[in-house]
C-alpha cells in the first residue's frame, strides 16, 4: 500500500511523542532484552529525479559504519556516498526504469520502514533552430534548443547518417562544423543525448558555382578572376584547379577568387574548377597561351655581347624563362612578357648557334644566332694624290666605314693607338729639316719628340698600362736605337743602341712579361740571311737584345720566305709575317713559341699565288687581337696576278687557322712598298716602307 508523505509525517510525530512515555512506563530496560532498534526513514530529499540523482535519506538508527549499511531502490542497490546516524547520501542506481520505487535502509540485517522515490523519465533533446540554415561544407553552425548536455561527449550531432564532432555544448546550444564530404542539397540534423534523439532540423549544403572567368585566355602566370557563388571567405578552404593542376590563390571573397595560371599545364584549352572543403563546382574553359619567339636583335654578335629575344607570352619573372645557346643554358638578364635579354656565353665558337626558349616548361620555339668575333677599329696609312699621306680608321659593324684621322704632306711612316684613350700616335718624316717627329691626335700641332737630322723613326708602340711610348730610330749608316718616354714626351730615355744593327722594324710590346720584340732587316749575302727577331728586357736600360728567330734557320721546310716584315705577340706565341718581296710567290704567316724557340717556326696561313681571292699576295702589316686570338694583316694586291691591282686589302683569321681568312677592307691606297727615304743624307739607300695596323677594343 502506498504510504503518503502527510500520513507518514503524522505517524512519525506520534511515535516521537509516545517514545518517552513508553520509556518511563517500562523503565530503562537493557537493549539486550529487546535487541538494537531498527533504522527508521523519516524523509527523502529529493523524493523524485533521474537515475544518478544524489538523494539525502533522513532518519534514525543508521549508525556510522557504512560497511554494515545498505540502501535499496526496489531490487537495485545504491552506493552509499556518506553516512551519519541520521543521514545517508546515495545516488539513484542507473539501472532503474521510470516510475515509483520503494527505498529501504538495512543496518546489520535490520530493515527500515519503506519510503517512496519516483524515478522520472530522461528529457528528450529538442532543436528549435539552426544558425545559419545553409552554408558550405566546413561552415560552423549553432544548434539552438533544450535538454542538451553541457558535457560535449554526451551530445551526438548527426548530419544525415554522418556524426560530427561537437565543438562546444551547453544545455541550450551546440556548436559544430558542417562535414566536408556532404553532397549539395538539404540534409537532416539531429541531436542525441543519453540515447534520446531530438526532432529533425534541416540544413542546406551549398555548392560552389563558377559563372565567369576573366580574362578567358592568357599565358602561364596570368592572374585571373573567377566569379561565382558559394566560395569560402577563408582562403585555405578553397582550391582552384586547371585540369588536375592546383593553382596558387591570390585573394578570395564569397563571390570571387583571384588565382594564377599554374605551370605544368599544356598550351590550349583547360578546364578550371573550384572546390570548397572538398565540394567541387562546375568547370569553365580557359585557354592557356603558349610562348612564341618572333625575332632576335642583333642577329649576330660576339661572345659576351647582349641580345634581346622578342616574342609573346614570356614571363616577367626571370626564373620562369629558360634560354639556351645550343646545349648551354644562360641566365636571364632581364625579362618582360615580350622580351628576354641574355648574354651570349663566352665558350661559344664562331658560327651559327640555335637558341631555344622555354617559358614555365612550355616550348616557345627557337631562332638562329651568328656568333662572331668583333672587329675592333683598325688604323692604317694611305697615300693620296699630291704625295700626301693620311691615317685611316676603319670600323666594321652593321656598316663598314672608313674615317680620315690625320693627313700630312710629309711621309707618315708608322702609327700606334692608345687603346684606353683612343689617342692616335704617329711618326712623320719632316722633309724641311730632314728629321722625324712623333705626334698625337690629342694635340696634332705639337710634336711629342723630334729626332736629330738624318734620323727617322721606323716604328712606335704604346704601353697603355704604364702610359709610355716606345720608338725605334735609325739612319742611313746602319745606326739603330730604341727609346721610350712618357706619352707627353717627358722622361725620354734610350734603352739601347747598336751601330751593327741595320733597319729595325715592327716594335712590339709584351708589358705583362716585361719584354719587347722587333725585327732587324739587313743583307747578309754570304749566309743568305735578311731578317731576325729580337727579344729585349723592357725594364733594364742598356741590356742588349737576344736573337730568338732567324729567317732561313727557323723557317719551316720548303718555305720561300725571304724576309720578316712584321710581328705580333700574344701570350707565349709569336706571330711573324713573312714575305718573298716579289709577286707570284708564296707569302706566309708564321708562329713560334716564345718559351721554346728551338723548335723553329710553323705556318698558320699562306698565300695562294695566282688566285683572285688570295688573302695575302704581299704581306705588309700584322697585329693580333689578344682577347679573341685573331690575326689581322694588310697586304698589297698581286700586281702580276689575276687581280692586277696595286690597291691593298685587310684580312683577318683565327690564330689557329680554324676558319678561312675574312676580307674586311679592300681598295686601300697604300704607299709603295719601298719608298725613298725623304730624310736621307744623299746616299742612294732606300728604306722599306712599313705599314702598321693597331687595334682598339
Amino acid at each position: 500500500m502506498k504510504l503518503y508523505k502527510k500520513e507518514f509525517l503524522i505517524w512519525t510525530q506520534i511515535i516521537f511523542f509516545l517514545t518517552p512515555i513508553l520509556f518511563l512506563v517500562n523503565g530503562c530496560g537493557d537493549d539486550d532484552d529487546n535487541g538494537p532498534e531498527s533504522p527508521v526513514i523519516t524523509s527523502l530529499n529529493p523524493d523524485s529525479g533521474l537515475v544518478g540523482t544524489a538523494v539525502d535519506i533522513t532518519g534514525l538508527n543508521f549508525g556510522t559504519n557504512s560497511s554494515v549499511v545498505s540502501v535499496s531502490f526496489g531490487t537495485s542497490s545504491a552506493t552509499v556516498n556518506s553516512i551519519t546516524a541520521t543521514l545517508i547520501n546515495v545516488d539513484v542506481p542507473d539501472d532503474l526504469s521510470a516510475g515509483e520505487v520503494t527505498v529501504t535502509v538495512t543496518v546489520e540485517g535490520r530493515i527500515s520502514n519503506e519510503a517512496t522515490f519516483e524515478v522520472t523519465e530522461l528529457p528528450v533533446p529538442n532543436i528549435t533552430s539552426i544558425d545559419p540554415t545553409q552554408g558550405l561544407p566546413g561552415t560552423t553552425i549553432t544548434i539552438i534548443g533544450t535538454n542538451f548536455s553541457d558535457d560535449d561527449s554526451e551530445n551526438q550531432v548527426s548530419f544525415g547518417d554522418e556524426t560530427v564532432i561537437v565543438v562546444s555544448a551547453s544545455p541550450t546550444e551546440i556548436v559544430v562544423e558542417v562535414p566536408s564530404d556532404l553532397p549539395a542539397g538539404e540534409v537532416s540534423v539531429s541531436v542525441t543525448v543519453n540515447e534520446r534523439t531530438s526532432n529533425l532540423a534541416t540544413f542546406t549544403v551549398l555548392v560552389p558555382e563558377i559563372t565567369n572567368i576573366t580574362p578567358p585566355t592568357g599565358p602561364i602566370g596570368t592572374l585571373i578572376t573567377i566569379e561565382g557563388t558559394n566560395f569560402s571567405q577563408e582562403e585555405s578552404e578553397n582550391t582552384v584547379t586547371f585540369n588536375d593542376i592546383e593553382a596558387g590563390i591570390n585573394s578570395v571573397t564569397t563571390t570571387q577568387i583571384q588565382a594564377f595560371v599554374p605551370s605544368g599545364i599544356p598550351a590550349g584549352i583547360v578546364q578550371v574548377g573550384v572546390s570548397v572543403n572538398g565540394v567541387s563546382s562546375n568547370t569553365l574553359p580557359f585557354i592557356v597561351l603558349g610562348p612564341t619567339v618572333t625575332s632576335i636583335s642583333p642577329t649576330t654578335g660576339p661572345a659576351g655581347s647582349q641580345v634581346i629575344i622578342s616574342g609573346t607570352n614570356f614571363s616577367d619573372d626571370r626564373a620562369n624563362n629558360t634560354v639556351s645557346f645550343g646545349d648551354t643554358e644562360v641566365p636571364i638578364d632581364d625579362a618582360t612578357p615580350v622580351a628576354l635579354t641574355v648574354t651570349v656565353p663566352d665558350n661559344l665558337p664562331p658560327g651559327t648557334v640555335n637558341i631555344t626558349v622555354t617559358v614555365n616548361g612550355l616550348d616557345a620555339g627557337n631562332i638562329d644566332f651568328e656568333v662572331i668575333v668583333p672587329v675592333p677599329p683598325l688604323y692604317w696609312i694611305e697615300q693620296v694624290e699630291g704625295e700626301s699621306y693620311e691615317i685611316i680608321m676603319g670600323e666594321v659593324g652593321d656598316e663598314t666605314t672608313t674615317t680620315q684621322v690625320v693627313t700630312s704632306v710629309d711621309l707618315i711612316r708608322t702609327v700606334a693607338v692608345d687603346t684606353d684613350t683612343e689617342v692616335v700616335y704617329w711618326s712623320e718624316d719632316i722633309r724641311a729639316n730632314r728629321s722625324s717627329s712623333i705626334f698625337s691626335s690629342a694635340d696634332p700641332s705639337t710634336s711629342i719628340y723630334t729626332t736629330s737630322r738624318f734620323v727617322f723613326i721606323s716604328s712606335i708602340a704604346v704601353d697603355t698600362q704604364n702610359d709610355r711610348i716606345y720608338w725605334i730610330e735609325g739612319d742611313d749608316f746602319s745606326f739603330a736605337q730604341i727609346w721610350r718616354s712618357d706619352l707627353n714626351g717627358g722622361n725620354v730615355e734610350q734603352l739601347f743602341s747598336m751601330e751593327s744593327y741595320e733597319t729595325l722594324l715592327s716594335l712590339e710590346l709584351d708589358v705583362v712579361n716585361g719584354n719587347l720584340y722587333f725585327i732587324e732587316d739587313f743583307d747578309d749575302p754570304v749566309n743568305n740571311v735578311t731578317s731576325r727577331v729580337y727579344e729585349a728586357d723592357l725594364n733594364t736600360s742598356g741590356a742588349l737584345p737576344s736573337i730568338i728567330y732567324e729567317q732561313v734557320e727557323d723557317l719551316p721546310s720548303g718555305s720561300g720566305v725571304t724576309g720578316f716584315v712584321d710581328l705580333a705577340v700574344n701570350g707565349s706565341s709569336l706571330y711573324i709575317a713573312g714575305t718573298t718581296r716579289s709577286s707570284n710567290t708564296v707569302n706566309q704567316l708564321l708562329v713560334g713559341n716564345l718559351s721554346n724557340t728551338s723548335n723553329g717556326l710553323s705556318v698558320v696561313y699562306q698565300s695562294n699565288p695566282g688566285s683572285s681571292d688570295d688573302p695575302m699576295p704581299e704581306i705588309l702589316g700584322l697585329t693580333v687581337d689578344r682577347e679573341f686570338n685573331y690575326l689581322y694583316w694588310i697586304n698589297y694586291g698581286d700586281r702580276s696576278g689575276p687581280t692586277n691591282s696595286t690597291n691593298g686589302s685587310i684580312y683577318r683569321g683565327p690564330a689557329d687557322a680554324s676558319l678561312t681568312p675574312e676580307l674586311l677592307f679592300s681598295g686601300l691606297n697604300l704607299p709603295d712598298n719601298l719608298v725613298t727615304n725623304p730624310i736621307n743624307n744623299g746616299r742612294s739607300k732606300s728604306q722599306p716602307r712599313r705599314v702598321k695596323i693597331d687595334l682598339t677594343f
Side-chain angles (χ1 to χ4, degrees):
M1 177 181 293
K2 183 176 182 180
L3 181 63
Y4 292 98
K5 191 181 303 182
K6 184 175 181 180
E7 293 173 344
F8 178 78
L9 293 174
I10 294 172
W11 279 106
T12 299
Q13 293 173 0
I14 293 173
I15 291 170
F16 271 99
F17 178 75
L18 292 177
T19 296
I21 298 174
L22 291 173
F23 179 79
L24 293 173
V25 173
N26 294 314
C28 298
D30 189 357
D31 287 344
D32 292 338
D33 294 340
N34 298 307
E37 294 185 7
S38 297
V40 176
I41 298 175
T42 59
S43 66
L44 300 178
N45 184 30
D47 59 5
S48 66
L50 300 173
V51 295
T53 300
V55 178
D56 286 335
I57 303 173
T58 304
L60 300 171
N61 304 324
F62 297 154
T64 59
N65 186 0
S66 62
S67 64
V68 297
V69 176
S70 63
V71 178
S72 298
F73 282 70
T75 59
S76 298
S77 296
T79 300
V80 175
N81 298 324
S82 62
I83 185 171
T84 68
T86 59
L87 182 65
I88 299 175
N89 180 265
V90 296
D91 291 334
V92 179
D94 291 338
D95 58 352
L96 295 180
S97 299
E100 290 185 349
V101 62
T102 59
V103 179
T104 60
V105 175
T106 301
V107 179
E108 294 183 336
R110 296 186 295 277
I111 302 174
S112 72
N113 58 307
E114 294 181 348
T116 301
F117 185 86
E118 184 174 0
V119 179
T120 59
E121 189 77 39
L122 289 173
V124 176
N126 180 59
I127 299 174
T128 57
S129 64
I130 293 178
D131 183 30
T133 59
Q134 62 179 12
L136 297 166
T139 299
T140 298
I141 67 170
T142 300
I143 303 171
I144 302 169
T146 58
N147 300 327
F148 303 149
S149 174
D150 55 6
D151 185 344
D152 294 353
S153 63
E154 292 182 354
N155 300 283
Q156 178 181 308
V157 178
S158 299
F159 284 72
D161 296 329
E162 183 169 349
T163 301
V164 300
I165 296 174
V166 174
V167 177
S168 64
S170 73
T172 58
E173 288 186 355
I174 298 176
V175 178
V176 295
E177 287 186 357
V178 179
S180 61
D181 55 355
L182 288 182
E186 293 184 348
V187 62
S188 296
V189 180
S190 63
V191 176
T192 300
V193 180
N194 293 320
E195 299 182 357
R196 285 169 170 75
T197 302
S198 72
N199 58 315
L200 299 178
T202 299
F203 182 83
T204 302
V205 179
L206 301 178
V207 175
E209 181 181 5
I210 300 175
T211 58
N212 188 43
I213 297 177
T214 305
T217 65
I220 289 173
T222 300
L223 182 64
I224 66 168
T225 300
I226 304 170
E227 298 174 356
T229 57
N230 301 326
F231 303 149
S232 174
Q233 62 185 1
E234 294 294 332
E235 182 178 311
S236 61
E237 295 179 353
N238 302 280
T239 301
V240 177
T241 56
F242 287 67
N243 287 349
D244 296 326
I245 305 298
E246 186 173 337
I249 294 176
N250 184 60
S251 64
V252 297
T253 68
T254 57
T255 59
Q256 191 178 90
I257 298 176
Q258 287 190 326
F260 296 97
V261 179
S263 58
I265 57 177
I269 299 176
V270 297
Q271 295 297 319
V272 179
V274 174
S275 63
V276 180
N277 289 315
V279 178
S280 299
S281 72
N282 60 313
T283 62
L284 288 182
F286 179 85
I287 300 176
V288 180
L289 300 177
T292 303
V293 172
T294 57
S295 63
I296 188 170
S297 178
T299 57
T300 65
S305 62
Q306 273 196 334
V307 297
I308 298 176
I309 303 170
S310 298
T312 59
N313 302 321
F314 299 153
S315 173
D316 54 10
D317 184 346
R318 290 182 293 178
N320 295 333
N321 306 282
T322 301
V323 176
S324 296
F325 285 70
D327 296 329
T328 303
E329 184 177 333
V330 298
I332 309 297
D333 299 330
D334 189 40
T336 72
V338 295
L340 302 176
T341 302
V342 296
T343 300
V344 182
D346 291 336
N347 60 346
L348 290 182
T352 301
V353 62
N354 188 250
I355 300 175
T356 58
V357 179
T358 59
V359 181
N360 288 305
L362 297 180
D363 183 14
N366 58 82
I367 194 168
D368 285 340
F369 179 79
E370 186 74 19
V371 181
I372 63 171
V373 173
V375 179
L378 304 177
Y379 294 81
W380 65 88
I381 302 166
E382 293 193 14
Q383 185 175 0
V384 293
E385 295 182 2
E387 294 296 317
S388 294
Y389 298 86
E390 58 187 10
I391 297 175
I392 301 296
M393 180 182 71
E395 295 180 284
V396 177
D398 295 337
E399 296 182 358
T400 299
T401 61
T402 58
T403 304
Q404 177 184 311
V405 180
V406 175
T407 183
S408 175
V409 295
D410 290 318
L411 172 64
I412 299 176
R413 187 178 288 271
T414 184
V415 61
V417 179
D418 184 339
T419 56
D420 289 339
T421 62
E422 298 185 356
V423 174
V424 180
Y425 297 84
W426 69 94
S427 69
E428 292 185 21
D429 290 352
I430 310 300
R431 297 177 185 270
N433 57 16
R434 295 189 176 185
S435 64
S436 186
S437 294
I438 299 175
F439 296 91
S440 79
S441 59
D443 184 9
S445 63
T446 303
S447 66
I448 295 173
Y449 176 81
T450 300
T451 68
S452 303
R453 285 174 60 83
F454 309 119
V455 176
F456 60 89
I457 296 175
S458 61
S459 184
I460 59 177
V462 174
D463 174 4
T464 58
Q465 182 173 321
N466 299 297
D467 294 330
R468 289 175 174 175
I469 186 169
Y470 291 71
W471 65 91
I472 297 175
E473 293 183 5
D475 65 4
D476 286 341
F477 298 99
S478 300
F479 172 79
Q481 299 173 335
I482 294 183
W483 297 73
R484 73 179 174 193
S485 74
D486 298 336
L487 291 179
N488 60 8
N491 298 315
V492 177
E493 62 177 318
Q494 184 187 101
L495 298 184
F496 55 83
S497 173
M498 289 186 67
E499 294 188 7
S500 60
Y501 284 49
E502 299 222 8
T503 304
L504 302 186
L505 310 171
S506 188
L507 183 61
E508 181 79 7
L509 305 180
D510 181 5
V511 178
V512 174
N513 295 306
N515 295 319
L516 62 79
Y517 300 87
F518 58 89
I519 294 172
E520 179 189 18
D521 190 23
F522 62 98
D523 290 324
D524 185 353
V526 176
N527 298 308
N528 198 27
V529 176
T530 61
S531 297
R532 294 190 182 105
V533 176
Y534 286 83
E535 179 184 77
D537 193 319
L538 269 178
N539 302 308
T540 305
S541 179
L544 296 179
S546 57
I547 300 172
I548 58 173
Y549 286 106
E550 189 174 70
Q551 175 262 342
V552 176
E553 180 179 345
D554 294 312
L555 289 174
S557 177
S559 175
V561 168
T562 59
F564 299 154
V565 294
D566 207 349
L567 59 80
V569 176
N570 187 14
S572 62
S573 297
L574 173 72
Y575 299 94
I576 300 174
T579 183
T580 60
R581 294 178 178 163
S582 62
S583 62
N584 205 32
T585 55
V586 176
N587 298 278
Q588 294 177 329
L589 287 180
L590 307 165
V591 63
N593 192 320
L594 290 174
S595 61
N596 186 10
T597 58
S598 61
N599 290 334
L601 301 169
S602 57
V603 177
V604 181
Y605 294 101
Q606 67 180 19
S607 62
N608 183 18
S611 171
S612 60
D613 58 355
D614 188 355
M616 53 182 70
E618 186 175 352
I619 301 174
L620 294 178
L622 174 67
T623 193
V624 63
D625 181 343
R626 295 179 179 178
E627 180 178 0
F628 296 100
N629 202 26
Y630 257 62
L631 298 176
Y632 291 74
W633 62 90
I634 187 170
N635 53 259
Y636 276 113
D638 188 350
R639 283 165 287 183
S640 62
T643 57
N644 192 27
S645 171
T646 59
N647 291 332
S649 55
I650 297 177
Y651 282 84
R652 76 166 182 172
D656 60 2
S658 58
L659 297 175
T660 300
E662 173 187 6
L663 175 64
L664 301 178
F665 297 93
S666 60
L668 279 60
N669 297 312
L670 300 178
D672 193 2
N673 193 26
L674 294 179
V675 177
T676 300
N677 186 358
I679 61 172
N680 64 37
N681 60 359
R683 295 170 59 120
S684 61
K685 184 173 181 178
S686 297
Q687 301 296 333
R689 172 72 196 101
R690 297 299 301 116
V691 179
K692 185 85 168 75
I693 303 175
D694 289 273
L695 305 178
T696 61
F697 47 84

